[in-house]
Amino acid sequence: MDDLRELHALQRDALREVANIGAGHAAIALSQLINRRIMISVPEVNVTKLEDVPELLGHPDEVVAAVLMHMMGDLTGRTVVLFPASCARTLCDILLRHPLGTTTGFNEMEQSGLKEVGNILSSAYMNALSDFMGMMLVPSVPSLAIDLTGAVLSSISMNFGYNRDFVFCVETEFLFEDPGLSLRGHFLLLPDLASLRAIFDAIRLT
């Protein structure tokens, strides 16, 4: 398998365009969910090994909210949406229409809201990839984990062998109308080996 980190500029642009399309679709869906305008930008798209992902996310001892889903259909693998705990709490305030700073923990309502946001974001990115590849992708029901970054990534890596440890990492920023209010998160796509090759082949043709 070629090192995907050495993608040419045009191929990286193709990946970024797919991510931007997904972010646009997610912004529309989330705006309808919270009944307020929101924009989602894609500052960075990286393709790296799973073991190197912590360097992109921050400190391994940072608590994060992670929404995990399985990708099924013509391509298979897993997706993960990660929010730092502080961003996840602010997001819950916005979802539940609470004053900012109200959410202190993640009870059933907060967990449900975070899973819905993760579902919207992952599904939007998968739909964009589906259109790009001309293949059918089906997301599973989301699950949520609140844990240290290192623990979440360790749990993920246990389900992936050495041949399928490449990750597409999309840094995602949520921009609201409120002055100075923005939230960051990351979308991770972990395709299995056959799907990784299919994606790489499609990118090479761009």
Side-chain angles (χ1 to χ4, degrees), residues 97-128:
R97 295 173 172 79
H98 292 161
L100 296 182
T102 300
T103 299
T104 58
F106 301 104
N107 297 321
E108 186 175 348
M109 287 291 292
E110 287 81 6
Q111 290 185 30
S112 177
L114 290 173
K115 284 193 284 188
E116 181 61 21
V117 171
N119 181 36
I120 288 173
L121 197 61
S122 289
S123 297
Y125 282 136
M126 275 193 270
N127 286 337

Side-chain angles (χ1 to χ4, degrees), residues 20 61 103 135 139 175:
N20 278 324
D61 290 336
T103 299
M135 295 180 175
L175 306 170

Side-chain angles (χ1 to χ4, degrees), residues 1-4 49 162-166 192-198 200-201 204:
M1 176 64 65
D2 293 318
D3 191 338
L4 300 189
K49 288 189 174 182
Y162 71 95
N163 276 331
R164 47 181 183 175
D165 59 354
F166 279 97
D192 63 21
L193 183 58
S195 298
L196 177 67
R197 286 174 169 160
F200 192 35
D201 287 344
R204 277 177 140 172

